Amino acid sequence: MQGLTQQQSTIQARLPFVAIFLILMAAYLVINLANFQFFPRSVRQELEKIGSSVTNTTLRVPAERGLIFDRDGEPLAFNIVQYRLGVSPALVADDERLMKDMAAVLDIDEFELFRKINSENVWEFVAGPISAEQGQAIAALDEISLGLEEIPKRFYPQGTLAAHVIGIVLDEGLVGTLGVEGAFNDTLSGRVLDLSISNVPFGLPEERPAEQRGKDIVLTLDRDVQFWVESELKAAVDEYQAYRGAVIVMDPRNGDVLALANYPTMDPNRFLEIEDPSLLVNSAVQDAYEPGSIMQALTVASALETGAITPYWTYNDSGLLEVGGQEIYNRHFQSHGVSDAATVLIRSLNVGAATIGLEMGIEKFYSMMRAFGFGQPTGVGLFAEEPGEVRMLGDTNWNESYLGYNSFGQDLKVTSMQLITAFSALANDGIMRQARIVRQVIGEDGVEEARPTTVRRVVSSETAAIVRDMMIRVVREGAPGAFMRGYTVAGKPGTAWISTAVGQEYGEHSSIVTFVGALPADDPQAVILVKLDRPNAYYGYAVTPQVFKRIADRLVILLEIPDDEARNRLAADRTALEAEES
């Protein structure tokens, strides 16, 4: 009994130490459990990280791209959804049933489906891209082994309409190129989102942050005007068997581009099928060419503005002028005797334009060419706009003959957008407005208006009015094809020979012809440029004025521009009302 009592005494003596040890161990476990449960930098986070690396992956998802509308809110570009379909073979419960259900939705061979469903891979790609309808049908199967990955795709509901203005989006990465899609890619793209998604099966969250979405863009384009312009341009290219053509319609009062068309054109929904790379060129802003005698109007305006000539200036036209060692001739090598500046424009006299250029001199002439915007992009807001080329004193291989040739539009290169912007300055009393294709940018923070801005005053209102009067005579006496009943038109046709390695081409399909017209001439509300490459008629006055008229006849209705009689009547009524009030 005494020994037993001694053993119990020993146990009792050690029991407090055991109890303390157990209490300490329990406390240690409780502390670690709390740490595991509540602290983000704990072992729990490490275990989650390891597990995530096995079952999850990080996917960089482009933002939902902003939409593009015309000036009246008609959609020109928006987004549709396609899907990429995959399967986790280990999660398939009934492979034969799943094969038949999927085959009913997808255009895939049943044997190929069965092979993928029974693959030994953790994840097997099945099909893609598949349509939104097919994706919805697959989702309706409610099969845990299937996963749908969203593939955003750009869609252009108007097809070829305004294709070169809107541009295209490369599906891989949703990167915009050409037109507004390219020029405003950063605005439309929004903010890229990095998502952790499940590998088995993978998928995307339905909700994305609103601030991630790209901004919407409202263009200055009028869809109805654009449609009419494209229809008439196609008809003109076909009628005159031209290689290609371009038309731009601009409001000179604010620089708005109401229509811009190139033909041949393309369908941005099917751009991957395009075999001819030239179809992806926006000729109106990316094709710099020698404009020819249409430049004579700007030469006359420049000379009047700098004081080199007056409205009463004359010269004796002998039909030949030597400038810098080069001989310059008139059309058909004709001489016209004593002629004034208006005659130079009406009869398109190269000798007269070169004579005026010499009267101005090198410094004044090229200073005015820069003022009209040549040799620099207009900044209209379209992808990869070309600056053109105007060689000046000091440039490589420049000589005085360039002054003579440049005065009537040869040996320099301009774009159609530069030309219409320059002529719009004459139409707008000498003030050049910033050409623009974007009217509004709409984001999460509201609407940002792209307000009309003035680039510079190029010529005085007096000079602009004098040249417009001359251009009215040009239409009446030199380009009657542009004459419109009820509307006074100021315009100028131009013809440029096509230079080759051995000289110039002559005859059919060997020229580039252009016409620019403004209406109503006394208060221009629209300026239209028509350009055709290699038509079957050599001279511009025989082709482009007629195309201008067909476009303008419908344009005045679409834009609700009153004819001269109605405007004069309204002006008279307004004057009478002001007189009564005073």
Side-chain angles (χ1 to χ4, degrees), residues 481-538:
F483 179 80
M484 294 177 62
R485 186 177 301 277
Y487 294 87
T488 304
V489 175
K492 179 71 176 78
T495 305
W497 62 65
I498 295 177
S499 299
T500 66
V502 294
Q504 285 80 43
E505 297 181 6
Y506 294 97
E508 287 190 358
H509 305 293
S510 62
S511 63
I512 299 175
V513 296
T514 312
F515 182 86
V516 175
L519 76 155
D522 61 328
D523 182 24
Q525 299 176 40
V527 178
I528 305 171
L529 178 144
V530 179
K531 169 179 171 280
L532 295 177
D533 293 19
R534 296 180 179 272
N536 58 8
Y538 184 81

Side-chain angles (χ1 to χ4, degrees), residues 319-330 333 351 354 401 405 408 497:
L320 171 65
L321 180 67
E322 183 178 321
V323 182
Q326 298 293 318
E327 293 184 339
I328 293 173
Y329 299 91
N330 289 326
F333 306 98
V351 170
S401 68
Y405 283 115
F408 59 91
W497 62 65

Side-chain angles (χ1 to χ4, degrees), residues 465-486:
I466 292 170
V467 177
R468 285 203 308 272
D469 287 343
M470 291 181 182
M471 292 170 63
I472 292 172
R473 290 185 57 193
V474 169
V475 170
R476 290 174 176 170
E477 302 174 40
F483 179 80
M484 294 177 62
R485 186 177 301 277

Side-chain angles (χ1 to χ4, degrees), residues 13-283:
R14 293 178 179 177
L15 188 59
F17 295 101
V18 173
I20 292 172
F21 174 76
L22 292 175
I23 291 171
L24 290 174
M25 286 297 296
Y28 175 78
L29 291 174
V30 169
I31 291 171
N32 278 277
L33 180 62
N35 185 53
F36 180 80
Q37 182 68 28
F38 298 110
F39 294 95
R41 298 182 184 275
S42 65
V43 177
R44 177 171 175 253
Q45 185 182 30
E46 292 300 317
L47 291 175
E48 288 178 347
K49 185 175 181 181
I50 294 171
S52 178
S53 67
V54 175
T55 60
N56 286 21
T57 186
T58 298
L59 179 67
R60 175 153 288 188
V61 183
E64 182 183 354
R65 196 169 178 85
L67 312 183
I68 301 176
F69 303 91
D70 86 332
R71 69 189 298 120
D72 296 319
E74 295 292 338
L76 301 176
F78 58 83
N79 307 305
I80 60 174
V81 176
Q82 295 181 326
Y83 294 94
R84 184 180 291 114
L85 173 63
V87 63
S88 294
L91 300 179
V92 176
D94 186 341
D95 53 8
E96 187 171 348
R97 180 188 62 79
L98 181 59
M99 174 195 69
K100 292 186 182 219
D101 288 344
M102 293 174 66
V105 176
L106 307 171
D107 185 20
I108 300 178
D109 179 69
E110 288 189 1
F111 176 79
E112 181 66 16
L113 278 175
F114 190 80
R115 184 187 67 79
K116 292 184 176 183
I117 291 171
N118 289 277
S119 169
E120 295 181 358
N121 295 327
V122 175
W123 183 256
E124 184 73 28
F125 170 74
V126 176
I130 62 175
S131 68
E133 292 78 9
Q134 289 174 314
Q136 291 170 1
I138 291 293
L141 297 178
D142 197 21
E143 173 62 49
I144 191 174
S145 64
L146 298 179
L148 289 169
E149 177 188 0
E150 180 182 310
I151 306 174
K153 182 177 176 61
R154 202 65 158 167
F155 181 69
Y156 303 94
Q158 309 295 335
T160 61
L161 189 77
H164 290 98
V165 175
I166 302 167
I168 57 178
V169 170
L170 304 177
D171 292 337
E172 188 65 32
L174 292 182
V175 177
T177 184
L178 190 66
V180 172
E181 294 275 30
F184 290 85
N185 183 63
D186 291 343
T187 302
L188 291 161
S189 293
R191 182 169 59 83
V192 172
L193 182 66
D194 287 335
L195 296 177
S196 178
I197 65 169
S198 171
N199 284 324
V200 194
F202 59 78
L204 296 180
E206 294 182 3
E207 298 296 330
R208 300 184 187 178
E211 65 271 15
Q212 188 213 3
R213 187 181 182 280
K215 296 180 179 179
D216 297 336
I217 287 180
V218 178
L219 303 183
T220 60
L221 286 190
D222 184 307
R223 188 185 64 164
D224 294 335
V225 175
Q226 180 74 26
F227 177 79
W228 179 252
V229 163
E230 289 191 14
S231 300
E232 287 300 328
L233 176 60
K234 180 183 182 303
V237 169
D238 292 342
E239 178 183 355
Y240 296 106
Q241 301 173 15
Y243 167 63
R244 62 182 176 184
V247 174
I248 305 174
V249 180
M250 179 178 285
D251 186 335
R253 300 167 298 181
N254 53 27
D256 282 2
V257 177
L258 303 178
L260 186 156
N262 298 296
Y263 189 81
T265 186
M266 53 93 180
D267 185 345
N269 294 308
R270 306 175 65 181
F271 74 92
L272 291 176
E273 302 173 17
I274 296 174
E275 297 180 356
D276 183 359
S278 68
L279 294 180
L280 296 174
V281 176
N282 186 350
S283 176

Side-chain angles (χ1 to χ4, degrees), residues 398-466:
W398 189 92
N399 64 65
E400 192 180 8
S401 68
Y402 280 94
L403 174 60
Y405 283 115
N406 292 170
S407 64
F408 59 91
Q410 297 285 173
D411 276 341
L412 81 169
K413 292 183 178 180
V414 306
T415 65
S416 299
M417 184 59 67
Q418 288 174 327
L419 266 182
I420 195 170
T421 303
F423 274 90
S424 290
L426 293 180
N428 193 42
D429 288 332
I431 298 174
M432 179 180 288
R433 295 292 194 181
Q434 173 63 57
R436 61 175 191 164
I437 198 69
V438 170
R439 193 179 191 187
Q440 293 177 330
V441 176
I442 305 174
E444 187 186 10
D445 298 329
V447 178
E448 180 183 344
E449 294 282 351
R451 299 187 180 279
T453 58
T454 298
V455 178
R456 68 182 71 88
R457 174 174 284 283
V458 183
V459 298
S460 67
S461 58
E462 293 80 9
T463 296
I466 292 170

